[in-house]
Amino acid sequence: MTTIHEVAEAAGVSISTVSYALSGKRPVSEKTRLRIEDAARVLGYEPDAGARMLAGRRTHIFALTEPLRADTHAPTHMAFVLATAVAARRRGYDILLLTEEQASEGMNRVAASNLVDAILVLDVAPDDERAAIARSVRTPTVFIGIPDDQVGLTCVDLDFEAAGHLAVDRLADAGHARITLLGQTEVSYRKSNFPRRLLHGVQDRALERGVGLDWVTTGASVTDIVAVRAAAEAAIERGTRAFIVHAVDDVHAALLAVLDEKGLRVGHDVSVISAAASFDTTTLSVPVDTIPLVPQQSCELAVDLAVRRLEEANVQPGIHLIPPEYRSVGSVNSSQD
């Protein structure tokens, strides 16, 4: 790794002169500055982030604010963190991960210090306080998720409402008159916005199609499998033969286990659709039709929008929704309820 000492030696100047030339902290003659920059370029030397900030240059760092709460489902959230890091690295940027539960503190800190070129926001809440911060700072900010207050923000996400519509349409078209939605945990509907958006999509389309709907949260935590089994058994007893599952893989596995115990065959006696699944549904014991949530899609688009905000002065804020895709493997039957 090239050091500042090597650049100074190649340019025939002192280390302090190299520092002044690359940081802009003190004036250096044009001829000397060009000689130093040429030496740095040939040797592949990059000044540290602090020097680049002093010079008003990009740090090539994006902050990713992702509060890790006690109720956070780590595998899902880390899939988004990894997808963001990969997308950023592809564009020549590193990621500074901010994981404080009080997410606004870290966001304010990096914006005030000019440590990063842009901020990416994950795990967006309905009343997310980071929305107001994004409107008040000069650092370009992109939300991977959509808060209730969207004015002046740039947001990227799966179209969860459309995913809800798509799931209901498939089941209604198959002749089902009643559907049970096995949703997220109770706390998710208070602290995250995407579960409510899919729920509203399911509710609105069920009303439009004249389909009965039962919505059940899957317990107080992602590991409350007892509650999941109880909800599935109660739905079956009510005569429900169509399920939309918007939850983690353990919830899917619990539902499939209950159906098997009841002697109900998926795709024949009962229909199951996994909506906005962020895990690999092919690992389930029974193939299930899926409307996938692909972290790479939203994270790559968010990074691209952040880079555009840096490179183009006229990029306007707005909501960018990714259309849902339906992947069929035969888990929806075509018989009437």
Side-chain angles (χ1 to χ4, degrees):
M1 187 173 182
T2 303
T3 67
I4 193 172
H5 300 78
E6 293 170 304
V7 175
E9 182 177 353
V13 297
S14 66
I15 294 173
S16 59
T17 301
V18 173
S19 177
Y20 297 151
L22 297 181
S23 69
K25 192 173 182 180
R26 292 187 184 179
V28 174
S29 72
E30 181 73 6
K31 183 178 179 181
T32 301
R33 181 181 63 79
L34 290 174
R35 190 166 71 249
I36 291 170
E37 289 181 350
D38 285 343
R41 183 171 58 255
V42 170
L43 295 173
Y45 175 74
E46 273 290 328
D48 62 25
R52 292 198 299 272
M53 285 188 292
L54 287 171
R57 297 165 58 189
R58 294 186 194 173
T59 65
H60 288 278
I61 300 172
F62 285 166
L64 178 62
T65 165
E66 161 67 313
L68 296 180
R69 305 184 302 263
D71 60 287
T72 295
H73 184 245
T76 298
H77 288 265
M78 290 311 298
F80 277 86
V81 171
L82 177 60
T84 304
V86 170
R89 188 61 261 162
R90 190 177 296 122
R91 299 300 298 268
Y93 287 83
D94 292 312
I95 290 293
L96 173 64
L97 185 59
L98 308 175
T99 59
E100 299 103 324
E101 186 164 352
Q102 297 299 321
S104 59
E105 296 180 6
M107 187 170 172
N108 275 320
R109 184 171 64 251
V110 296
S113 66
N114 294 320
L115 179 62
V116 301
D117 295 330
I119 301 172
L120 304 171
V121 180
L122 278 177
D123 196 13
V124 179
D127 56 348
D128 205 305
E129 60 188 3
R130 293 171 293 180
I133 298 173
R135 285 187 286 264
S136 67
V137 300
R138 297 182 61 184
T139 309
T141 302
V142 179
F143 284 68
I144 305 173
I146 304 174
D148 288 345
D149 181 5
Q150 309 158 12
V151 177
L153 301 181
T154 299
C155 303
V156 174
D157 211 353
L158 175 71
D159 191 338
F160 282 92
E161 289 86 352
H165 295 168
L166 183 55
V168 172
D169 282 339
R170 289 289 176 134
L171 295 173
D173 290 345
H176 290 287
R178 187 159 208 89
I179 298 170
T180 291
L181 170 62
L182 289 178
Q184 300 274 316
T185 59
E186 296 167 5
V187 69
S188 296
Y189 290 90
R190 298 194 304 271
K191 294 191 175 182
S192 296
N193 214 12
F194 69 92
R196 302 197 313 178
R197 289 166 49 215
L198 186 132
L199 170 62
H200 293 159
V202 169
Q203 290 173 325
D204 291 345
R205 186 66 100 214
L207 184 61
E208 292 175 10
R209 297 294 302 265
V211 174
L213 175 66
D214 299 300
W215 165 49
V216 184
T217 60
T218 46
S221 72
V222 294
T223 58
D224 195 352
I225 300 304
V226 173
V228 175
R229 290 182 59 88
E233 291 172 354
I236 294 168
E237 290 175 5
R238 290 193 300 268
T240 300
R241 294 297 182 267
F243 292 86
I244 299 172
V245 189
H246 182 211
V248 298
D249 51 352
D250 287 347
V251 173
H252 289 69
L255 170 63
L256 295 175
V258 169
L259 295 176
D260 183 60
E261 292 165 8
K262 299 291 184 180
L264 297 172
R265 296 172 300 164
V266 174
H268 297 276
D269 308 309
V270 63
S271 296
V272 178
I273 296 175
S274 178
S278 59
F279 66 96
D280 182 4
T281 56
T282 64
T283 62
L284 295 171
S285 60
V286 178
V288 171
D289 287 15
T290 303
I291 303 170
L293 171 63
V294 183
Q296 290 85 349
Q297 290 179 324
S298 51
C299 295
E300 287 177 3
L301 179 54
V303 168
D304 285 345
L305 288 168
V307 173
R308 284 184 57 196
R309 291 279 302 276
L310 291 168
E311 296 178 347
E312 303 174 25
N314 60 347
V315 177
Q316 298 299 312
I319 307 301
H320 302 262
L321 294 177
I322 298 171
E325 172 193 354
Y326 193 93
R327 298 178 182 175
S328 176
V329 294
S331 69
V332 173
N333 68 20
S334 58
S335 62
Q336 300 288 326
D337 279 346

